[in-house]
């Protein structure tokens, strides 16, 4: 049986080179997820990506990263003008998740949603304060990394438990993830069960094209999930910075800062 994963995505997904990328409006707000495979090694490439996006009319609210490979020392080298860095480093080699948050916005870390489970499941969440037409509202944004070859049933339970911990007061949620579960193989019951679990919680996947491509394989293991969010398009940006492509969603409503933002460059929320 053939499964068409795109039927589960409510927005149009486009895979393209960045030279062909153009925002529909100036200063279009967006969210990026990227398995960067060492932030220190690929920091210049990330800065170039953000510069190219800005030139094409995109202004990221957040850049969600996994496999950052950071520690307290290397993180000091990883600053990007216009962003604050929030980290959850792994207490061992590799791994780690982080969020670069636009310094236009106030935010809080969600400590109860930020943790590392056995170096197999890593997550970090913030609440971002946005100014709507009538009032300020909160947008919950998170990054999750599931290590490859970890037990699928256990991973399913970890995602499910984390999502159930999200307070219902958050009506808008965005989650970026390298879940290492391939949606091009939905004929595998554990893969389709995972997808349907997320859908049952009200989350919609935004990416329907392969996100990790080699000379012999193509897999769809990275995604951005939204709940209560209306985005115009999603993108897979073909890049050779990492063995994963950056992925992005653009938001169809302008997101404005609630007021003057916090002013720190980098913060780590786990114990050294």
């Amino acid at each position: 049986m053939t499964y068409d994963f795109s039927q589960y995505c409510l927005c149009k997904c486009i895979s393209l080179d960045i030279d062909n990328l153009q925002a529909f409006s100036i200063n279009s707000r967006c969210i990026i997820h990227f398995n960067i495979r060492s932030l220190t090694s690929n920091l210049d490439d990330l800065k170039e990506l953000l510069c190219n996006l800005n030139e094409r009319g995109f202004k990221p609210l957040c850049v969600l990263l996994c496999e950052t490979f950071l520690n307290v020392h290397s993180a000091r080298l990883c600053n990007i003008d216009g962003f604050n860095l929030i980290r959850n480093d792994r207490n061992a080699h590799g791994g780690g998740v982080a969020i670069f948050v636009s310094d236009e916005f106030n935010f809080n870390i969600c400590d109860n949603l930020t943790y590392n489970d056995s170096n197999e499941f890593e997550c970090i969440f913030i609440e971002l304060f946005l100014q709507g037409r009538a009032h300020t509202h909160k947008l919950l944004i998170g990054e999750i990394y599931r290590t490859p070859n970890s037990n699928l049933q256990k991973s399913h339970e970890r995602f499910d438990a984390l999502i159930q911990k999200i307070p219902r007061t958050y009506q808008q949620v965005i989650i970026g993830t390298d879940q290492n579960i391939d949606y091009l193989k939905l004929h595998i019951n554990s893969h389709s069960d995972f997808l349907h679990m997320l859908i049952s919680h009200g989350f919609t996947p935004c990416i329907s094209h392969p996100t990790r491509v080699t000379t012999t394989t193509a897999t769809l293991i990275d995604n951005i999930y939204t709940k209560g969010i209306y985005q115009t398009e999603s993108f897979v940006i073909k890049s050779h910075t990492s063995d994963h492509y950056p992925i992005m969603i653009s938001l169809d409503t302008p997101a404005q800062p609630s007021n003057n933002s916090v002013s720190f460059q980098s913060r780590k929320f786990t114990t050294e």
Side-chain angles (χ1 to χ4, degrees), residues 100-117:
F100 277 108
V101 188
S102 170
D103 64 8
E104 297 179 72
F105 296 89
N106 280 327
F107 64 90
N108 291 325
I109 188 70
C110 299
D111 295 291
N112 64 320
L113 302 175
T114 298
Y115 55 89
N116 178 324
D117 189 342

Side-chain angles (χ1 to χ4, degrees), residues 6-242:
S6 63
Q7 67 180 301
Y8 297 100
C9 299
L10 299 183
C11 61
K12 182 180 180 181
C13 183
I14 304 170
S15 181
L16 74 179
D17 296 318
I18 196 165
D19 291 340
N20 297 320
L21 183 63
Q22 190 67 43
F24 287 112
S25 60
I26 301 300
N27 297 333
S28 176
R29 294 293 185 177
C30 63
I31 302 284
I32 301 164
H33 157 82
F34 194 9
N35 181 327
I36 199 161
R37 296 283 298 169
S38 176
L39 181 55
T40 52
S41 298
N42 295 311
L43 181 62
D44 288 342
D45 286 343
L46 178 59
K47 289 179 179 179
E48 182 179 0
L49 171 65
L50 295 176
C51 182
N52 284 330
L53 289 174
N54 184 65
E55 290 174 353
R56 287 160 176 78
F58 291 96
K59 293 190 69 177
L61 294 175
C62 295
V63 182
L64 313 175
L65 301 173
C66 63
E67 291 209 89
T68 54
F69 299 176
L70 291 180
N71 57 45
V72 66
H73 304 293
S74 60
R76 294 170 183 162
L77 305 174
C78 295
N79 295 318
I80 297 179
D81 290 342
F83 291 87
N84 294 301
L85 175 59
I86 313 302
R87 309 162 14 237
N88 182 9
D89 303 339
R90 184 182 294 183
N91 295 320
H93 176 71
V97 289
I99 303 177
F100 277 108
V101 188
S102 170
D103 64 8
E104 297 179 72
F105 296 89
N106 280 327
F107 64 90
N108 291 325
I109 188 70
C110 299
D111 295 291
N112 64 320
L113 302 175
T114 298
Y115 55 89
N116 178 324
D117 189 342
S118 306
N119 287 343
E120 294 183 350
F121 183 89
E122 301 166 332
C123 50
I124 185 169
F125 278 78
I126 63 168
E127 57 177 15
L128 196 71
F129 296 91
L130 304 177
Q131 181 62 53
R133 292 182 179 179
H135 61 277
T136 298
H137 64 278
K138 295 185 291 186
L139 172 61
L140 185 68
I141 301 176
E143 171 69 12
I144 303 172
Y145 177 60
R146 170 190 174 259
T147 58
N149 303 318
S150 54
N151 182 273
L152 273 173
Q153 181 58 39
K154 185 66 175 176
S155 297
H156 183 121
E157 294 169 359
R158 285 166 169 158
F159 271 88
D160 190 34
L162 173 63
I163 290 172
Q164 292 195 53
K165 288 175 66 176
I166 295 175
R168 299 192 178 203
T169 52
Y170 292 110
Q171 298 183 7
Q172 294 184 313
V173 185
I174 298 175
I175 298 175
T177 180
D178 173 3
Q179 61 201 22
N180 277 299
I181 295 173
D182 186 4
Y183 280 160
L184 299 183
K185 297 180 179 178
L186 284 181
H187 61 279
I188 299 174
N189 288 339
S190 57
H191 292 208
S192 58
D193 288 347
F194 179 81
L195 171 62
H196 290 138
M197 177 270 294
L198 290 166
I199 292 174
S200 73
H201 287 298
F203 285 89
T204 301
C206 298
I207 304 298
S208 57
H209 291 284
T211 60
R212 187 174 186 271
V213 178
T214 70
T215 56
T216 58
T217 64
T219 55
L220 203 180
I221 58 177
D222 300 89
N223 225 299
I224 297 174
Y225 296 92
T226 63
K227 182 177 182 179
I229 297 287
Y230 299 95
Q231 65 279 352
T232 53
E233 285 188 321
S234 61
F235 304 91
V236 177
I237 303 171
K238 296 178 180 178
S239 165
H240 299 291
T241 298
S242 165

